Amino acid sequence: MKQTIYQFVLVLMLAVSSFACSDDFLQNDKYGAAATDNFWNTEGDAKAAVNALYTHFTDDGVVGRGFMWYICASDDMVVGRDKAQSVNMKNFIDDGSNSYTANNWRLMYRVIARANAIMENVPGMDIDADLKDFIVGQAYFLRGWAYMWLAPRYGDDRAGIPIVPEGTPVTELDVARAAHVSDNYMQCVSDFDKAADLLPYFDELKAEDYGRPHKTACWAYAAKAYLYNAEYDASSYEKVVEYADKVIGTNQHELLDDYADVFKIENNWSKEYIWSFVSSDERGCITPSVFLENKGWGKFNGWGYWHATNELYEEYEDGDERREATILKFGDDFQYFGENIRYYSTNNRTGFQFNKFMDPYRTADCVGTTVNPNGDYPTTDLNMPLIRYAEVLLFKAEGLLMQGKNGDAPLNEVRKRAGLGLISGATMDDLKHERRVELAAEWSDRHQDLVRWHDAEATYAKPLHGRIHSNLSDPDSPFEVKEVWSSRSYDPVVNHVWPIPPQEIEESKVLLQNEGY
């Protein structure tokens, strides 16, 4: 199975090297005009073009730290190492120039431009029909995915983000913002629908294509697009259920028996998998190492950027098996570099380490085997889930509840796996609880949940806490619960969205900044 990971990661590495300096493909201006004189002639050209869609899936600003800083704004974690960019973003003091996140806008529009170029050129190529469908399907999916990456964070009912259709003339690539973010979500749904028509099911993919989108990933993301759109149009909840049922009804997916097993390298492609960032110990996603204890107890260069809060720990019910799988507290046993150790930390701000992504560091020989030896680029063999089956079940539960219907069945399926009792007559409070504890520290985005539920202002008005131990080197030392992060001022009019990077505003004649920035 590791060979499968390397096959797709090799595609990423080749795509990066092939197109980093190419004069023949995708010389980008504002939103990506493509130079095509010497391209779009062979199957090799088409494959190279689709592989180029994935080049940013190894970019630290996307899959490493960049996107997680949006999530760090939530009440589930605090900044572990104080730097101006991260502290300001946590405190909603941001003008969009933050170097950790500013490139996301440009990189996603580069993906959109590359996808558009495929849609414009590949359908007319004289190549194998099945290959053509597979390539164009990926282009539709990744264009929709790129819009989904940006739209919830930069668009709302006052303005969406620019929609750049395929075939847009080079002279018209400086596109104004959509009138409403719903326009973006419906564009996403359209793209995911078209992709689903062209792409196979996951079990029909060749092993070397694991990591590319497939049919149920399209439907899962369409469900998420409708879920986000439901903040503005409640009729979208019906579509959330419809698309969740498309995924569920295929019987392609199921929950693993043990929650902790979801985040093991051996289960990168399990039945619970829907779509992930693919990673290896050579190239991919550094996120597990960014969560890891700063300096890794002297064994590896962990970065220690995000620490779980006491609020998150206390959110779990007694007996919830997800708590220990997600969070390490002082005295908890875990496997690290071939040793059984008990957790302690001399530099953790809260006394809690996220445990969910620790599998790559279990064995004595992990460095060079499951962990990149380069501590400045500490990727691992663990794929990072973007959407998994449990979230689809919670999509359905939320869609049902918000229509005034009974959401017990999908919600209880998630709870049962966690070792908890079943709920009768579940409410939205139950749903919010389950999303928080099931998906903590994942790309499901707790902060965005609080924003779309209109809970952010009240939540962020409360300080965050940790367990401060009397002896930071002693796993058994007593602790006091103390404030570790002050309450924050969240203005729902302004902070409902993030500021568009000012560089993008400056280089455009029509792009307008979000209100209040």
Side-chain angles (χ1 to χ4, degrees):
M1 191 57 70
K2 181 163 185 172
Q3 183 61 33
T4 299
I5 296 174
Y6 276 127
Q7 287 171 327
F8 189 70
V9 170
L10 180 61
V11 166
L12 301 185
M13 295 171 71
L14 290 173
V16 171
S17 62
S18 297
F19 296 111
C21 303
S22 172
D23 291 327
D24 294 330
F25 182 63
L26 294 173
Q27 296 176 345
N28 293 288
D29 64 3
K30 178 63 183 170
Y31 291 126
T36 61
D37 290 346
N38 301 310
F39 210 73
W40 311 113
N41 297 311
T42 67
E43 285 191 357
D45 290 343
K47 290 178 180 178
V50 78
N51 290 342
L53 293 173
Y54 300 90
T55 57
H56 302 308
F57 282 33
T58 62
D59 192 301
D60 179 24
V62 178
V63 305
R65 289 171 292 176
F67 188 82
M68 193 59 68
W69 289 117
Y70 299 112
I71 300 172
C72 185
S74 80
D75 53 344
D76 281 355
M77 62 184 79
V78 298
V79 176
R81 295 167 60 186
D82 287 350
K83 294 188 177 182
Q85 304 102 304
S86 50
V87 171
N88 286 343
M89 198 161 180
K90 177 77 177 175
N91 290 332
F92 305 108
I93 304 169
D94 187 21
D95 66 359
S97 63
N98 188 322
S99 62
Y100 285 159
T101 57
N103 283 337
N104 270 273
W105 180 281
R106 180 156 297 192
L107 295 181
M108 289 304 106
Y109 274 105
R110 188 172 295 165
V111 172
I112 291 164
R114 293 177 176 181
N116 282 345
I118 290 170
M119 295 172 199
E120 293 169 37
N121 292 283
V122 171
M125 293 178 68
D126 184 17
I127 61 174
D128 178 79
D130 290 339
L131 176 63
K132 184 183 295 187
D133 285 350
F134 190 40
I135 288 173
V136 176
Q138 290 175 75
Y140 275 116
F141 177 88
L142 285 161
R143 185 174 72 174
W145 179 83
Y147 281 128
M148 277 293 294
W149 195 258
L150 298 177
R153 282 139 207 115
Y154 296 103
D156 59 14
D157 55 350
R158 294 166 291 187
I161 62 173
I163 296 173
V164 187
E166 65 272 26
T168 302
V170 173
T171 56
E172 298 176 16
L173 286 171
D174 189 10
V175 179
R177 300 178 65 173
H180 195 293
V181 74
S182 289
D183 298 330
N184 298 116
Y185 293 136
M186 293 305 98
Q187 175 67 51
C188 292
V189 170
S190 175
D191 282 351
F192 294 139
D193 279 342
K194 290 174 182 175
D197 289 341
L198 296 170
L199 294 174
Y201 288 103
F202 176 73
D203 63 5
E204 297 171 337
L205 288 173
K206 298 175 183 177
E208 62 263 28
D209 288 324
Y210 287 2
R212 298 183 190 272
H214 50 90
K215 206 175 291 290
T216 56
C218 301
W219 293 331
Y221 268 101
K224 187 164 190 171
Y226 273 119
L227 186 69
Y228 280 9
N229 192 60
E231 180 183 358
Y232 309 101
D233 178 2
S235 69
S236 288
Y237 285 117
E238 184 177 354
K239 304 297 287 187
V240 173
V241 175
E242 176 186 329
Y243 277 88
D245 276 339
K246 280 177 175 281
V247 178
I248 295 165
T250 65
N251 295 317
Q252 290 266 320
H253 303 283
E254 60 186 28
L255 299 181
L256 296 185
D257 292 337
D258 188 328
Y259 179 80
D261 286 346
V262 175
F263 310 101
K264 292 182 178 177
I265 293 167
E266 65 196 63
N267 292 316
N268 276 342
W269 313 112
S270 75
K271 284 283 192 177
E272 191 154 345
Y273 159 82
I274 291 183
W275 210 49
S276 300
F277 283 134
V278 179
S279 190
S280 80
D281 63 334
E282 292 184 7
R283 196 168 189 92
C285 188
I286 68 172
T287 307
S289 298
V290 183
F291 275 114
L292 180 66
E293 170 87 357
N294 188 20
K295 303 304 180 185
W297 297 281
K299 292 183 179 294
F300 187 71
N301 187 30
W303 293 10
Y305 273 176
W306 304 304
H307 300 162
T309 61
N310 191 66
E311 280 73 12
L312 174 60
Y313 187 84
E314 294 295 338
E315 180 73 16
Y316 290 87
E317 301 166 59
D318 290 340
D320 190 331
E321 297 172 6
R322 295 170 294 192
R323 184 175 63 187
E324 276 62 46
T326 302
I327 300 172
L328 288 169
K329 67 180 185 303
F330 267 53
D332 284 350
D333 295 314
F334 68 106
Q335 189 85 4
Y336 186 68
F337 276 74
E339 299 179 13
N340 290 314
I341 67 173
R342 299 177 66 219
Y343 177 72
Y344 71 93
S345 173
T346 59
N347 57 50
N348 188 298
R349 176 170 251 145
T350 65
F352 295 108
Q353 155 89 40
F354 279 106
N355 189 34
K356 185 174 278 189
F357 308 122
M358 290 286 283
D359 184 60
Y361 315 98
R362 287 187 304 109
T363 64
D365 64 346
C366 63
V367 175
T369 304
T370 57
V371 178
N372 194 327
N374 182 356
D376 292 328
Y377 184 56
T379 62
T380 79
D381 278 356
L382 182 65
N383 293 351
M384 299 302 292
L386 295 173
I387 286 190
R388 53 188 177 87
Y389 186 59
E391 187 171 13
V392 173
L393 291 171
L394 295 176
F395 286 163
K396 180 176 180 179
E398 184 170 353
L400 289 169
L401 288 168
M402 290 302 291
Q403 293 180 79
K405 298 179 180 179
N406 188 294
D408 290 356
L411 186 123
N412 281 328
E413 190 171 344
V414 174
R415 286 180 58 82
K416 183 179 179 181
R417 194 259 298 271
L420 298 174
L422 305 185
I423 291 177
S424 178
T427 66
M428 271 300 294
D429 284 342
D430 296 317
L431 182 282
K432 292 176 181 180
H433 166 80
E434 288 302 320
R435 276 193 64 87
R436 186 179 190 186
V437 297
E438 175 69 26
L439 303 168
E442 297 181 45
W443 269 272
S444 51
D445 197 343
R446 163 73 175 171
H447 169 69
Q448 198 61 40
D449 280 347
L450 292 171
V451 170
R452 68 185 179 84
W453 290 329
H454 302 281
D455 292 340
E457 184 176 15
T459 299
Y460 298 152
K462 302 172 185 177
L464 298 171
H465 298 80
R467 292 183 176 184
I468 309 305
H469 290 258
S470 59
N471 184 344
L472 299 181
S473 299
D474 179 4
D476 296 314
S477 64
F479 66 86
E480 294 182 65
V481 175
K482 293 185 177 181
E483 180 179 316
V484 296
W485 205 274
S486 299
S487 60
R488 295 167 288 158
S489 177
Y490 173 92
D491 182 344
V493 175
V494 176
N495 305 126
H496 187 268
V497 288
W498 297 95
I500 295 172
Q503 177 184 358
E504 307 301 330
I505 303 292
E506 292 165 5
E507 294 181 4
S508 170
K509 297 179 180 179
V510 296
L511 189 62
L512 301 178
Q513 184 58 275
N514 281 318
E515 182 179 335
Y517 293 107

